[in-house]
Amino acid sequence: MVSAHAASASGAEQRLQELGIVLPPAPLPLGAYVEAVQAGKLLFLSGILPVVDGKPQHVGRVGVELDLEAGRAAAHTAFLNALAVVRDELGSLDKVSRVVRLGVNIVADPDFRSHPIVADGASELLEAVFGKDKTSTRRAIGVVSLPLGAPLELELIFETI
């Protein structure tokens, strides 16, 4: 991975290009809500699922039907979707001055204990794109179920310029 300093110096849009990442289209809401709301300098995202072309990338509980790597992959995909929403809302990821909060809700068995490892699938991409100095606080919790049978859902708050 490139150093966090290099990620910050080059800007998020350039880092995506350097990492060879092409963002998917922003996911559409599954109900009567919007994907993002800006309040002052804060941009709040609705829950972001790991969907590809409107369908869940994986279905099931992490640690039961899905292994840790599938959970991490789902977190990575959900974060890509979040970036697509932010770009649609702001016009450029370079308008993000900081990622304030990352919440990761993970569907898992009650005995599952590796929530941080799954959440790192999103956090590591966050750091690669925005740099260590813009890395967020984080909350990772287990839940019983999520829409579409998805194994996880992200909640994000961004500070904008």
Side-chain angles (χ1 to χ4, degrees):
M1 188 165 108
V2 175
S3 75
H5 176 71
S8 292
S10 64
E13 292 289 345
Q14 184 177 338
R15 284 297 303 138
L16 282 180
Q17 289 182 351
E18 291 168 1
L19 294 166
I21 296 173
V22 177
L23 294 182
L28 298 173
L30 299 174
Y33 62 92
V34 295
E35 289 290 338
V37 169
Q38 185 147 11
K41 289 189 169 198
L42 297 179
L43 180 66
F44 296 83
L45 298 193
S46 293
I48 303 290
L49 299 172
V51 295
V52 176
D53 297 325
K55 296 183 172 100
Q57 176 189 35
H58 301 284
V59 174
R61 296 169 291 169
V62 181
V64 182
E65 294 89 5
L66 304 172
D67 64 16
L68 279 177
E69 284 311 309
R72 288 175 52 81
H76 182 95
T77 297
F79 194 75
L80 290 175
N81 288 336
L83 293 177
V85 170
V86 172
R87 182 189 275 164
D88 273 7
E89 188 71 20
L90 300 177
S92 171
L93 296 178
D94 292 335
K95 292 184 179 177
V96 171
S97 60
R98 174 168 203 103
V99 184
V100 177
R101 178 75 161 181
L102 169 62
V104 186
N105 300 305
I106 303 162
V107 179
D109 184 85
D111 294 326
F112 185 74
R113 301 288 182 263
S114 298
H115 300 79
I117 295 169
V118 173
D120 281 347
S123 294
E124 290 166 1
L125 182 56
L126 182 161
E127 186 175 323
V129 172
F130 292 107
K132 189 163 181 68
D133 62 325
K134 294 183 182 182
T135 299
S136 68
T137 62
R138 185 174 86 183
R139 174 189 59 78
I141 62 168
V143 298
V144 174
S145 71
L146 289 168
L148 305 178
L152 61 79
E153 180 179 57
L154 303 183
E155 297 176 73
L156 287 131
I157 303 171
F158 296 84
E159 182 181 41
T160 64
I161 56 173

